[in-house]
Amino acid sequence: MASGKVTFRQERCKGCNLCVSVCPAKIIFLDEDNTNIKGYHPATVTEMDKCIGCANCARICPDSIITVERN
Amino acid sequence: MAIVYQKSKGLTDVEFHYCPGCTHGIVHKLVAETLEELNILDNAVGVAPVGCSVFAYNYFNCDMQGAAHGRAPAVATGIKRVLPEHVVFTYQGDGDLAAIGTAEIVHAAMRGEKFTTIFINNAIYGMTGGQMAPTTLVGQRATTAPLGREREHYGSPIRMSEMLATIDGAAYIERVTVTTPANIIKAKRAIKKAFQLQIEGKGFTMIEVLSTCPTNWGLTPVEALEWVKEKMGPFFPLGVFRDITAEEAK
């Protein structure tokens, strides 16, 4: 299985949850320990080793804040 | 590692003002990616509407023009006729295209104007606060239809794609949605085809995108995507309603 890496431009995240809803690996979550300058809990990933680099999250992100890399 | 997905160069670095989860952002990037992939960013002119996407001119990284409410097709007509080598598109919501601007879009299609329209249908007036639109579903609640749209009083919603597909000047009309990653890929394919047919000078092209308005629907962004599938889907079927290239191939 390909391995991937996602990076979020968290200061622009609006916490809409769409990326969370389409992640097949179910590793994206809204980080309730953090609040960005807009006042939202930004999307984040901690188990990056489980990312398959499918780019579903980036494709559906309305604010284009996600960059996906893949091996 | 190689980058497989990043923000399109067809978008500026300006932050979208849209509500969280609004699908305008998804459609914006599909248009931007198409302009980038067709290598026409320096040769494209977009016309922004009035409505939630009124600030589209700040977001697309190409020449843009604002238009009076509903008149984007008329403005695009002028631009395309003066600059026929440019790729011209309008980006309009249902209040702009299916209400105040119905005459403009119908006659632009009738004249076979060679520009592309991206039509955002979210079954409500977003910017002004959730009033009933011509596309509001029967039974759907809006601030001006608090008990839901009643057919006896307000009729049944208008299906713009089906209507415009009856017009000879239209070259390509398709309805898509952006509710899943797979549908987003299909929507992009449709938008790209419309721009390609415009470049080939085939005639008027329009892609209708079933979109969400989580704020005025009173749903979360994820619930709103489901609502599109469950409620809008049956009344506004997806598909190609007119494709003169398919007819020419017969």
Side-chain angles (χ1 to χ4, degrees), chain B residues 152-249:
Chain B
E152 315 79 78
H153 288 297
Y154 309 114
S156 193
I158 191 166
R159 294 184 180 97
M160 291 304 295
S161 285
E162 284 86 338
M163 184 173 106
L164 294 174
T166 64
I167 296 175
D168 289 345
Y172 193 77
I173 309 277
E174 181 172 353
R175 184 184 288 121
V176 296
T177 186
V178 288
T179 51
T180 62
N183 280 333
I184 291 170
I185 291 170
K186 283 184 206 159
K188 169 136 166 235
R189 210 176 288 148
I191 290 170
K192 199 166 185 179
K193 179 158 186 176
F195 275 96
Q196 280 167 330
L197 292 178
Q198 176 190 162
I199 292 166
E200 291 167 20
K202 297 288 187 190
F204 174 78
T205 51
M206 185 181 86
I207 305 299
E208 174 178 347
V209 187
L210 298 186
S211 299
T212 65
C213 185
T215 300
N216 286 304
W217 292 355
L219 299 172
T220 68
V222 175
E223 287 167 349
L225 294 181
E226 280 301 311
W227 198 88
V228 171
K229 274 185 246 179
E230 284 173 24
K231 307 283 183 175
M232 290 182 77
F235 191 84
F236 296 111
L238 305 181
V240 177
F241 294 95
R242 187 167 173 87
D243 181 0
I244 59 163
T245 54
E247 287 162 27
E248 283 169 2

Side-chain angles (χ1 to χ4, degrees), chain A residues 12 14 38 58 61 68 70, chain B residues 2 4-5 13 15 18 29:
Chain A
R12 291 203 169 192
K14 295 175 184 165
K38 292 172 176 292
C61 175
V68 183
R70 188 164 52 200
Chain B
V4 290
Y5 202 102
D13 202 41
E15 272 183 75
Y18 301 116
K29 71 176 168 184

Side-chain angles (χ1 to χ4, degrees), chain B residues 59-75:
Chain B
Y59 305 142
F60 288 108
N61 203 3
C62 63
D63 283 335
M64 294 293 292
Q65 171 68 51
H69 204 355
R71 274 69 202 182
V75 173

